[in-house]
mmCIF file of all heavy atoms in Angstrom:
data_model
loop_
_atom_site.group_PDB
_atom_site.id
_atom_site.type_symbol
_atom_site.label_atom_id
_atom_site.label_comp_id
_atom_site.label_asym_id
_atom_site.label_seq_id
_atom_site.Cartn_x
_atom_site.Cartn_y
_atom_site.Cartn_z
ATOM 1 N N ARG A 1 -2.433 3.795 13.057
ATOM 2 C CA ARG A 1 -2.036 2.401 13.520
ATOM 3 C C ARG A 1 -3.337 1.539 13.621
ATOM 4 O O ARG A 1 -3.261 0.406 13.176
ATOM 5 C CB ARG A 1 -1.387 2.574 14.934
ATOM 6 C CG ARG A 1 -0.904 1.247 15.447
ATOM 7 C CD ARG A 1 -0.317 1.394 16.812
ATOM 8 N NE ARG A 1 0.951 2.097 16.876
ATOM 9 C CZ ARG A 1 1.108 3.267 17.410
ATOM 10 N NH1 ARG A 1 0.054 3.931 17.944
ATOM 11 N NH2 ARG A 1 2.215 3.989 17.418
ATOM 12 N N ALA A 2 -4.440 2.143 14.119
ATOM 13 C CA ALA A 2 -5.639 1.327 14.130
ATOM 14 C C ALA A 2 -6.142 0.901 12.859
ATOM 15 O O ALA A 2 -6.629 -0.253 12.606
ATOM 16 C CB ALA A 2 -6.722 2.140 14.938
ATOM 17 N N LEU A 3 -5.994 1.784 11.841
ATOM 18 C CA LEU A 3 -6.466 1.530 10.439
ATOM 19 C C LEU A 3 -5.654 0.370 9.796
ATOM 20 O O LEU A 3 -6.173 -0.527 9.135
ATOM 21 C CB LEU A 3 -6.458 2.830 9.660
ATOM 22 C CG LEU A 3 -7.623 3.721 9.958
ATOM 23 C CD1 LEU A 3 -7.308 5.100 9.369
ATOM 24 C CD2 LEU A 3 -8.953 3.238 9.467
ATOM 25 N N VAL A 4 -4.348 0.438 9.911
ATOM 26 C CA VAL A 4 -3.482 -0.497 9.209
ATOM 27 C C VAL A 4 -3.573 -1.859 9.933
ATOM 28 O O VAL A 4 -3.126 -2.826 9.335
ATOM 29 C CB VAL A 4 -2.037 -0.083 9.059
ATOM 30 C CG1 VAL A 4 -1.891 1.243 8.280
ATOM 31 C CG2 VAL A 4 -1.391 0.137 10.400
ATOM 32 N N GLN A 5 -4.109 -1.885 11.097
ATOM 33 C CA GLN A 5 -4.241 -3.178 11.828
ATOM 34 C C GLN A 5 -5.657 -3.675 11.713
ATOM 35 O O GLN A 5 -5.834 -4.909 11.874
ATOM 36 C CB GLN A 5 -3.984 -2.895 13.377
ATOM 37 C CG GLN A 5 -2.513 -2.531 13.645
ATOM 38 C CD GLN A 5 -2.313 -2.128 15.126
ATOM 39 O OE1 GLN A 5 -3.247 -2.172 15.893
ATOM 40 N NE2 GLN A 5 -1.040 -1.853 15.457
ATOM 41 N N GLY A 6 -6.667 -2.878 11.392
ATOM 42 C CA GLY A 6 -8.025 -3.349 11.537
ATOM 43 C C GLY A 6 -8.968 -3.343 10.311
ATOM 44 O O GLY A 6 -9.930 -4.009 10.267
ATOM 45 N N VAL A 7 -8.517 -2.746 9.241
ATOM 46 C CA VAL A 7 -9.325 -2.865 8.003
ATOM 47 C C VAL A 7 -9.134 -4.168 7.378
ATOM 48 O O VAL A 7 -8.221 -4.927 7.761
ATOM 49 C CB VAL A 7 -8.998 -1.726 6.972
ATOM 50 C CG1 VAL A 7 -9.353 -0.374 7.623
ATOM 51 C CG2 VAL A 7 -7.576 -1.756 6.425
ATOM 52 N N ASP A 8 -9.839 -4.574 6.246
ATOM 53 C CA ASP A 8 -9.660 -5.767 5.638
ATOM 54 C C ASP A 8 -8.670 -5.753 4.569
ATOM 55 O O ASP A 8 -7.938 -6.704 4.239
ATOM 56 C CB ASP A 8 -10.975 -6.309 5.095
ATOM 57 C CG ASP A 8 -11.968 -6.754 6.246
ATOM 58 O OD1 ASP A 8 -11.539 -7.470 7.117
ATOM 59 O OD2 ASP A 8 -13.125 -6.309 6.213
ATOM 60 N N ILE A 9 -8.672 -4.621 3.790
ATOM 61 C CA ILE A 9 -7.806 -4.497 2.645
ATOM 62 C C ILE A 9 -7.377 -3.012 2.536
ATOM 63 O O ILE A 9 -8.107 -2.076 2.961
ATOM 64 C CB ILE A 9 -8.409 -5.033 1.384
ATOM 65 C CG1 ILE A 9 -7.464 -5.141 0.226
ATOM 66 C CG2 ILE A 9 -9.689 -4.115 1.030
ATOM 67 C CD1 ILE A 9 -7.975 -5.943 -0.916
ATOM 68 N N TRP A 10 -6.197 -2.821 2.056
ATOM 69 C CA TRP A 10 -5.577 -1.500 1.988
ATOM 70 C C TRP A 10 -5.523 -0.999 0.520
ATOM 71 O O TRP A 10 -4.848 -1.669 -0.342
ATOM 72 C CB TRP A 10 -4.214 -1.433 2.596
ATOM 73 C CG TRP A 10 -3.629 -0.092 2.886
ATOM 74 C CD1 TRP A 10 -2.713 0.697 2.257
ATOM 75 C CD2 TRP A 10 -4.120 0.730 3.990
ATOM 76 N NE1 TRP A 10 -2.593 1.917 2.870
ATOM 77 C CE2 TRP A 10 -3.435 1.914 4.001
ATOM 78 C CE3 TRP A 10 -5.016 0.494 5.054
ATOM 79 C CZ2 TRP A 10 -3.547 2.932 4.874
ATOM 80 C CZ3 TRP A 10 -5.186 1.470 5.988
ATOM 81 C CH2 TRP A 10 -4.443 2.738 5.896
ATOM 82 N N LEU A 11 -6.172 0.123 0.229
ATOM 83 C CA LEU A 11 -6.167 0.673 -1.137
ATOM 84 C C LEU A 11 -5.234 1.781 -1.368
ATOM 85 O O LEU A 11 -5.132 2.674 -0.529
ATOM 86 C CB LEU A 11 -7.658 1.178 -1.436
ATOM 87 C CG LEU A 11 -7.893 1.856 -2.742
ATOM 88 C CD1 LEU A 11 -7.744 0.883 -3.892
ATOM 89 C CD2 LEU A 11 -9.303 2.457 -2.788
ATOM 90 N N ASN A 12 -4.566 1.675 -2.484
ATOM 91 C CA ASN A 12 -3.539 2.679 -2.828
ATOM 92 C C ASN A 12 -3.573 2.904 -4.334
ATOM 93 O O ASN A 12 -3.415 1.976 -5.107
ATOM 94 C CB ASN A 12 -2.158 2.351 -2.418
ATOM 95 C CG ASN A 12 -1.185 3.422 -2.558
ATOM 96 O OD1 ASN A 12 -1.492 4.623 -2.503
ATOM 97 N ND2 ASN A 12 0.003 3.045 -2.909
ATOM 98 N N ASN A 13 -3.948 4.129 -4.798
ATOM 99 C CA ASN A 13 -4.090 4.243 -6.309
ATOM 100 C C ASN A 13 -3.509 5.595 -6.784
ATOM 101 O O ASN A 13 -4.124 6.394 -7.339
ATOM 102 C CB ASN A 13 -5.483 4.184 -6.630
ATOM 103 C CG ASN A 13 -6.525 4.907 -5.757
ATOM 104 O OD1 ASN A 13 -7.478 4.269 -5.247
ATOM 105 N ND2 ASN A 13 -6.229 6.231 -5.495
ATOM 106 N N PRO A 14 -2.189 5.754 -6.621
ATOM 107 C CA PRO A 14 -1.516 6.956 -7.069
ATOM 108 C C PRO A 14 -1.396 6.927 -8.658
ATOM 109 O O PRO A 14 -1.580 5.950 -9.270
ATOM 110 C CB PRO A 14 -0.107 6.930 -6.428
ATOM 111 C CG PRO A 14 0.088 5.457 -6.269
ATOM 112 C CD PRO A 14 -1.204 4.795 -5.966
ATOM 113 N N GLU A 15 -1.018 8.103 -9.133
ATOM 114 C CA GLU A 15 -0.679 8.234 -10.584
ATOM 115 C C GLU A 15 0.582 7.627 -10.825
ATOM 116 O O GLU A 15 1.672 8.236 -10.414
ATOM 117 C CB GLU A 15 -0.748 9.637 -11.055
ATOM 118 C CG GLU A 15 -2.104 10.315 -10.947
ATOM 119 C CD GLU A 15 -2.037 11.752 -11.302
ATOM 120 O OE1 GLU A 15 -0.904 12.273 -11.689
ATOM 121 O OE2 GLU A 15 -3.058 12.448 -11.215
ATOM 122 N N ARG A 16 0.801 6.425 -11.349
ATOM 123 C CA ARG A 16 2.073 5.856 -11.664
ATOM 124 C C ARG A 16 2.789 6.677 -12.701
ATOM 125 O O ARG A 16 2.203 7.161 -13.571
ATOM 126 C CB ARG A 16 1.851 4.408 -12.182
ATOM 127 C CG ARG A 16 3.135 3.599 -12.232
ATOM 128 C CD ARG A 16 2.809 2.203 -12.738
ATOM 129 N NE ARG A 16 3.844 1.290 -12.534
ATOM 130 C CZ ARG A 16 4.902 1.107 -13.401
ATOM 131 N NH1 ARG A 16 4.972 1.747 -14.541
ATOM 132 N NH2 ARG A 16 5.897 0.177 -13.109
ATOM 133 N N PRO A 17 4.119 6.979 -12.439
ATOM 134 C CA PRO A 17 5.014 6.551 -11.392
ATOM 135 C C PRO A 17 5.342 7.578 -10.467
ATOM 136 O O PRO A 17 6.576 7.774 -10.150
ATOM 137 C CB PRO A 17 6.205 6.064 -12.195
ATOM 138 C CG PRO A 17 6.318 7.091 -13.269
ATOM 139 C CD PRO A 17 4.838 7.526 -13.619
ATOM 140 N N ARG A 18 4.391 8.314 -9.941
ATOM 141 C CA ARG A 18 4.650 9.528 -9.039
ATOM 142 C C ARG A 18 4.853 9.126 -7.570
ATOM 143 O O ARG A 18 5.279 9.980 -6.768
ATOM 144 C CB ARG A 18 3.594 10.558 -9.223
ATOM 145 C CG ARG A 18 3.470 10.972 -10.735
ATOM 146 C CD ARG A 18 2.473 12.085 -10.774
ATOM 147 N NE ARG A 18 3.021 13.329 -10.332
ATOM 148 C CZ ARG A 18 2.246 14.444 -10.120
ATOM 149 N NH1 ARG A 18 0.949 14.464 -10.410
ATOM 150 N NH2 ARG A 18 2.827 15.563 -9.646
ATOM 151 N N GLU A 19 4.450 7.908 -7.192
ATOM 152 C CA GLU A 19 4.603 7.474 -5.767
ATOM 153 C C GLU A 19 5.985 6.929 -5.631
ATOM 154 O O GLU A 19 6.310 5.800 -6.076
ATOM 155 C CB GLU A 19 3.518 6.386 -5.397
ATOM 156 C CG GLU A 19 3.566 5.954 -3.926
ATOM 157 C CD GLU A 19 2.965 6.944 -3.010
ATOM 158 O OE1 GLU A 19 3.555 7.897 -2.615
ATOM 159 O OE2 GLU A 19 1.807 6.710 -2.746
ATOM 160 N N ALA A 20 6.876 7.635 -4.986
ATOM 161 C CA ALA A 20 8.257 7.244 -4.901
ATOM 162 C C ALA A 20 8.367 5.875 -4.192
ATOM 163 O O ALA A 20 9.040 4.934 -4.601
ATOM 164 C CB ALA A 20 9.139 8.265 -4.104
ATOM 165 N N SER A 21 7.702 5.673 -3.029
ATOM 166 C CA SER A 21 7.740 4.456 -2.327
ATOM 167 C C SER A 21 6.378 4.239 -1.692
ATOM 168 O O SER A 21 5.673 3.239 -2.140
ATOM 169 C CB SER A 21 8.787 4.552 -1.191
ATOM 170 O OG SER A 21 8.769 3.305 -0.438
ATOM 171 N N GLY A 22 5.939 4.972 -0.665
ATOM 172 C CA GLY A 22 4.712 4.684 0.023
ATOM 173 C C GLY A 22 5.070 3.672 1.124
ATOM 174 O O GLY A 22 5.816 2.746 0.929
ATOM 175 N N THR A 23 4.579 4.021 2.322
ATOM 176 C CA THR A 23 4.845 3.046 3.432
ATOM 177 C C THR A 23 3.634 2.603 4.159
ATOM 178 O O THR A 23 3.756 1.594 4.938
ATOM 179 C CB THR A 23 5.818 3.732 4.461
ATOM 180 O OG1 THR A 23 5.197 4.924 4.900
ATOM 181 C CG2 THR A 23 7.125 4.018 3.933
ATOM 182 N N SER A 24 2.467 3.298 3.946
ATOM 183 C CA SER A 24 1.292 2.822 4.680
ATOM 184 C C SER A 24 0.930 1.382 4.278
ATOM 185 O O SER A 24 0.464 0.573 5.169
ATOM 186 C CB SER A 24 0.062 3.714 4.367
ATOM 187 O OG SER A 24 -0.309 3.744 2.998
ATOM 188 N N GLY A 25 1.088 1.018 2.995
ATOM 189 C CA GLY A 25 0.812 -0.382 2.595
ATOM 190 C C GLY A 25 1.766 -1.380 3.237
ATOM 191 O O GLY A 25 1.286 -2.521 3.500
ATOM 192 N N MET A 26 2.988 -0.923 3.566
ATOM 193 C CA MET A 26 3.807 -1.873 4.222
ATOM 194 C C MET A 26 3.405 -2.109 5.660
ATOM 195 O O MET A 26 3.535 -3.282 6.185
ATOM 196 C CB MET A 26 5.287 -1.228 4.326
ATOM 197 C CG MET A 26 5.933 -0.962 3.045
ATOM 198 S SD MET A 26 7.479 -0.106 3.298
ATOM 199 C CE MET A 26 7.905 0.438 1.631
ATOM 200 N N LYS A 27 2.891 -1.093 6.329
ATOM 201 C CA LYS A 27 2.277 -1.263 7.692
ATOM 202 C C LYS A 27 1.198 -2.130 7.685
ATOM 203 O O LYS A 27 0.983 -2.999 8.627
ATOM 204 C CB LYS A 27 2.007 0.096 8.186
ATOM 205 C CG LYS A 27 3.141 1.118 8.296
ATOM 206 C CD LYS A 27 2.757 2.486 8.422
ATOM 207 C CE LYS A 27 3.904 3.443 8.358
ATOM 208 N NZ LYS A 27 3.555 4.925 8.273
ATOM 209 N N ALA A 28 0.295 -2.076 6.674
ATOM 210 C CA ALA A 28 -0.872 -2.907 6.637
ATOM 211 C C ALA A 28 -0.435 -4.308 6.392
ATOM 212 O O ALA A 28 -0.916 -5.334 6.991
ATOM 213 C CB ALA A 28 -1.822 -2.380 5.449
ATOM 214 N N ALA A 29 0.532 -4.533 5.472
ATOM 215 C CA ALA A 29 0.914 -5.875 5.010
ATOM 216 C C ALA A 29 1.484 -6.741 6.142
ATOM 217 O O ALA A 29 1.151 -7.928 6.304
ATOM 218 C CB ALA A 29 2.002 -5.720 3.985
ATOM 219 N N LEU A 30 2.261 -6.103 7.074
ATOM 220 C CA LEU A 30 2.847 -6.820 8.219
ATOM 221 C C LEU A 30 1.753 -7.235 9.219
ATOM 222 O O LEU A 30 1.895 -8.126 10.105
ATOM 223 C CB LEU A 30 3.957 -6.071 8.894
ATOM 224 C CG LEU A 30 3.697 -4.788 9.627
ATOM 225 C CD1 LEU A 30 3.379 -5.102 11.090
ATOM 226 C CD2 LEU A 30 4.883 -3.885 9.568
ATOM 227 N N ASN A 31 0.520 -6.597 9.103
ATOM 228 C CA ASN A 31 -0.638 -7.032 9.971
ATOM 229 C C ASN A 31 -1.488 -7.928 9.254
ATOM 230 O O ASN A 31 -2.590 -8.260 9.749
ATOM 231 C CB ASN A 31 -1.366 -5.752 10.435
ATOM 232 C CG ASN A 31 -0.642 -5.029 11.490
ATOM 233 O OD1 ASN A 31 -0.588 -5.461 12.662
ATOM 234 N ND2 ASN A 31 -0.088 -3.794 11.250
ATOM 235 N N GLY A 32 -1.083 -8.432 8.162
ATOM 236 C CA GLY A 32 -1.930 -9.381 7.342
ATOM 237 C C GLY A 32 -3.064 -8.703 6.606
ATOM 238 O O GLY A 32 -3.931 -9.494 6.187
ATOM 239 N N ILE A 33 -2.892 -7.474 6.404
ATOM 240 C CA ILE A 33 -3.886 -6.759 5.608
ATOM 241 C C ILE A 33 -3.504 -6.701 4.202
ATOM 242 O O ILE A 33 -2.425 -6.002 3.817
ATOM 243 C CB ILE A 33 -4.145 -5.334 6.114
ATOM 244 C CG1 ILE A 33 -4.406 -5.293 7.626
ATOM 245 C CG2 ILE A 33 -5.318 -4.588 5.361
ATOM 246 C CD1 ILE A 33 -5.538 -6.121 8.054
ATOM 247 N N PRO A 34 -4.114 -7.428 3.235
ATOM 248 C CA PRO A 34 -3.579 -7.358 1.860
ATOM 249 C C PRO A 34 -3.728 -6.037 1.245
ATOM 250 O O PRO A 34 -4.563 -5.268 1.527
ATOM 251 C CB PRO A 34 -4.606 -8.391 1.165
ATOM 252 C CG PRO A 34 -5.222 -9.231 2.230
ATOM 253 C CD PRO A 34 -5.268 -8.318 3.442
ATOM 254 N N ASN A 35 -2.808 -5.722 0.266
ATOM 255 C CA ASN A 35 -2.843 -4.528 -0.466
ATOM 256 C C ASN A 35 -3.600 -4.675 -1.749
ATOM 257 O O ASN A 35 -3.478 -5.731 -2.410
ATOM 258 C CB ASN A 35 -1.323 -4.054 -0.745
ATOM 259 C CG ASN A 35 -0.770 -3.299 0.335
ATOM 260 O OD1 ASN A 35 -0.734 -2.102 0.295
ATOM 261 N ND2 ASN A 35 -0.218 -4.001 1.351
ATOM 262 N N LEU A 36 -4.365 -3.675 -2.102
ATOM 263 C CA LEU A 36 -5.009 -3.536 -3.372
ATOM 264 C C LEU A 36 -4.473 -2.248 -3.934
ATOM 265 O O LEU A 36 -4.889 -1.158 -3.609
ATOM 266 C CB LEU A 36 -6.542 -3.432 -3.249
ATOM 267 C CG LEU A 36 -7.327 -3.127 -4.450
ATOM 268 C CD1 LEU A 36 -7.172 -4.179 -5.483
ATOM 269 C CD2 LEU A 36 -8.896 -3.008 -3.968
ATOM 270 N N SER A 37 -3.430 -2.427 -4.873
ATOM 271 C CA SER A 37 -2.721 -1.194 -5.186
ATOM 272 C C SER A 37 -2.198 -1.094 -6.617
ATOM 273 O O SER A 37 -1.918 -2.171 -7.253
ATOM 274 C CB SER A 37 -1.474 -1.168 -4.309
ATOM 275 O OG SER A 37 -0.646 -0.041 -4.596
ATOM 276 N N ILE A 38 -2.063 0.116 -7.112
ATOM 277 C CA ILE A 38 -1.332 0.357 -8.429
ATOM 278 C C ILE A 38 0.095 -0.134 -8.130
ATOM 279 O O ILE A 38 0.634 -0.042 -7.091
ATOM 280 C CB ILE A 38 -1.380 1.900 -8.606
ATOM 281 C CG1 ILE A 38 -2.798 2.403 -8.851
ATOM 282 C CG2 ILE A 38 -0.383 2.211 -9.771
ATOM 283 C CD1 ILE A 38 -3.326 2.151 -10.192
ATOM 284 N N ARG A 39 0.606 -0.590 -9.215
ATOM 285 C CA ARG A 39 2.052 -1.121 -9.105
ATOM 286 C C ARG A 39 3.000 0.046 -9.229
ATOM 287 O O ARG A 39 3.599 0.264 -10.232
ATOM 288 C CB ARG A 39 2.314 -2.121 -10.209
ATOM 289 C CG ARG A 39 1.526 -3.485 -9.926
ATOM 290 C CD ARG A 39 2.136 -4.660 -10.757
ATOM 291 N NE ARG A 39 3.612 -4.886 -10.346
ATOM 292 C CZ ARG A 39 4.113 -6.068 -10.632
ATOM 293 N NH1 ARG A 39 3.533 -7.042 -11.330
ATOM 294 N NH2 ARG A 39 5.392 -6.238 -10.329
ATOM 295 N N ASP A 40 3.003 0.863 -8.206
ATOM 296 C CA ASP A 40 3.854 2.028 -8.134
ATOM 297 C C ASP A 40 4.663 1.930 -6.803
ATOM 298 O O ASP A 40 4.270 1.240 -5.895
ATOM 299 C CB ASP A 40 3.029 3.260 -8.154
ATOM 300 C CG ASP A 40 3.806 4.505 -8.517
ATOM 301 O OD1 ASP A 40 5.002 4.402 -8.901
ATOM 302 O OD2 ASP A 40 3.286 5.662 -8.455
ATOM 303 N N GLY A 41 5.799 2.647 -6.759
ATOM 304 C CA GLY A 41 6.582 2.679 -5.545
ATOM 305 C C GLY A 41 6.940 1.303 -5.100
ATOM 306 O O GLY A 41 7.358 0.489 -5.914
ATOM 307 N N TRP A 42 6.798 1.043 -3.773
ATOM 308 C CA TRP A 42 7.279 -0.284 -3.144
ATOM 309 C C TRP A 42 6.449 -1.387 -3.698
ATOM 310 O O TRP A 42 7.003 -2.499 -3.833
ATOM 311 C CB TRP A 42 7.158 -0.210 -1.720
ATOM 312 C CG TRP A 42 5.766 -0.415 -1.160
ATOM 313 C CD1 TRP A 42 4.739 0.501 -1.165
ATOM 314 C CD2 TRP A 42 5.175 -1.595 -0.656
ATOM 315 N NE1 TRP A 42 3.641 -0.020 -0.641
ATOM 316 C CE2 TRP A 42 3.828 -1.346 -0.370
ATOM 317 C CE3 TRP A 42 5.674 -2.854 -0.347
ATOM 318 C CZ2 TRP A 42 2.991 -2.352 0.228
ATOM 319 C CZ3 TRP A 42 4.931 -3.799 0.168
ATOM 320 C CH2 TRP A 42 3.550 -3.566 0.444
ATOM 321 N N TRP A 43 5.153 -1.227 -4.060
ATOM 322 C CA TRP A 43 4.281 -2.367 -4.488
ATOM 323 C C TRP A 43 4.739 -2.935 -5.851
ATOM 324 O O TRP A 43 4.421 -4.170 -6.048
ATOM 325 C CB TRP A 43 2.875 -1.865 -4.522
ATOM 326 C CG TRP A 43 1.882 -3.002 -4.647
ATOM 327 C CD1 TRP A 43 0.923 -3.127 -5.603
ATOM 328 C CD2 TRP A 43 1.652 -4.187 -3.803
ATOM 329 N NE1 TRP A 43 0.122 -4.264 -5.397
ATOM 330 C CE2 TRP A 43 0.591 -4.966 -4.284
ATOM 331 C CE3 TRP A 43 2.364 -4.627 -2.637
ATOM 332 C CZ2 TRP A 43 0.157 -6.102 -3.767
ATOM 333 C CZ3 TRP A 43 1.937 -5.824 -2.072
ATOM 334 C CH2 TRP A 43 0.801 -6.525 -2.593
ATOM 335 N N ASP A 44 5.477 -2.119 -6.648
ATOM 336 C CA ASP A 44 5.920 -2.697 -7.914
ATOM 337 C C ASP A 44 6.886 -3.791 -7.691
ATOM 338 O O ASP A 44 6.985 -4.787 -8.546
ATOM 339 C CB ASP A 44 6.545 -1.569 -8.701
ATOM 340 C CG ASP A 44 6.913 -1.968 -10.060
ATOM 341 O OD1 ASP A 44 5.962 -2.413 -10.854
ATOM 342 O OD2 ASP A 44 8.043 -1.866 -10.561
ATOM 343 N N GLU A 45 7.634 -3.801 -6.615
ATOM 344 C CA GLU A 45 8.582 -4.860 -6.299
ATOM 345 C C GLU A 45 8.095 -5.876 -5.269
ATOM 346 O O GLU A 45 8.529 -6.962 -5.163
ATOM 347 C CB GLU A 45 9.978 -4.335 -5.869
ATOM 348 C CG GLU A 45 9.965 -3.525 -4.726
ATOM 349 C CD GLU A 45 11.132 -2.597 -4.436
ATOM 350 O OE1 GLU A 45 11.164 -1.482 -4.908
ATOM 351 O OE2 GLU A 45 12.103 -3.001 -3.737
ATOM 352 N N GLY A 46 7.089 -5.367 -4.436
ATOM 353 C CA GLY A 46 6.572 -6.194 -3.329
ATOM 354 C C GLY A 46 5.584 -7.207 -3.859
ATOM 355 O O GLY A 46 5.387 -8.364 -3.368
#
């Protein structure tokens, strides 16, 4: 919780397309923490 609220940017780099969804980036996003991510899982549509 502290990390998704307090870092500046959230990194996610799975081997596409093996990340079914991923939720940590969603938690960061709602706190205004931008995602820096492979277009896999949820980020492909987000």
Side-chain angles (χ1 to χ4, degrees):
R1 187 183 290 113
L3 286 165
V4 298
Q5 295 172 0
V7 299
D8 291 310
I9 192 164
W10 198 255
L11 176 62
N12 188 34
N13 42 235
E15 295 176 3
R16 191 180 193 272
R18 302 185 74 192
E19 183 80 275
S21 177
T23 56
S24 63
M26 301 175 189
K27 299 162 189 172
L30 69 89
N31 283 290
I33 309 303
N35 277 263
L36 170 60
S37 179
I38 296 284
R39 290 195 64 161
D40 199 7
W42 79 283
W43 191 235
D44 189 59
E45 62 198 87

